[in-house]
Amino acid sequence: MIAGYYCKPVFKYQFRPLMNDPRVADGGFCIILYENRILSFSTYDVGGRFLDELCFSLPDRVLQCFYGLLRNAGSWLGSSPVDLRASDVSPYASSFAFDGYDPIRVWGINDLICEPACSELGFFARHLYVLFEDISNLFAECGIRLSLDGFSWDTVKVRPFRKHQLYASARQGVV
């Protein structure tokens, strides 16, 4: 099979500004890391409609390290609540999905990580945030900068491509 949508996603992060913030200029973004080492970056408008998608080819090491991080997180990830909410008022929502685990939706992670140490919500939010930061650091080694509310890349280290370019290469036997 050729790369892209035919491969299983192993990590997904989605950031969505909520409409109750009048400063919202866009509808957020979503990144998906596939088992074939392709990282997809999609953007959305304020109505949540898809705008664009760019892809990045990452080295083998990324998946090896990612699965190491996931193994380490296994002790708490399976028992994490699927909805973490600081309050009913939050400027944005995030969604985290890891291979083999239910997706986790989070509203106001910055507030949640400040919850008391004995708080279940604070415990899981801090662990989730640390795992996200570890994955972000892994991407940073490849020139990709991922934060809770942003995504960018260093064009000297990594170049984006469109999926149709990958499919054309696959038809020519170049993948």
Side-chain angles (χ1 to χ4, degrees), residues 22-101:
R23 298 166 296 163
V24 171
D26 64 54
F29 67 92
C30 177
I31 64 140
I32 302 173
L33 176 62
Y34 292 94
E35 66 185 350
N36 64 349
R37 304 177 343 265
I38 300 298
L39 181 70
S40 162
F41 166 65
S42 300
T43 54
Y44 301 88
D45 70 11
V46 284
R49 289 178 299 272
F50 173 81
L51 291 175
D52 195 14
E53 178 184 38
L54 294 173
C55 297
F56 302 84
S57 183
L58 303 178
D60 287 335
R61 179 184 178 292
V62 169
L63 273 186
Q64 294 165 359
C65 292
F66 170 78
Y67 278 114
L69 293 170
L70 205 53
R71 271 190 305 281
N72 290 338
S75 63
W76 61 268
L77 198 52
S79 58
S80 176
V82 295
D83 287 306
L84 296 171
R85 186 182 302 252
S87 69
D88 289 334
V89 179
S90 178
Y92 67 90
S94 300
S95 176
F96 302 81
F98 304 95
D99 189 22
Y101 297 93

Side-chain angles (χ1 to χ4, degrees), residues 95-114:
S95 176
F96 302 81
F98 304 95
D99 189 22
Y101 297 93
D102 290 333
I104 302 169
R105 290 174 299 281
V106 182
W107 289 265
I109 193 167
N110 290 326
D111 294 331
L112 286 169
I113 60 177
C114 295

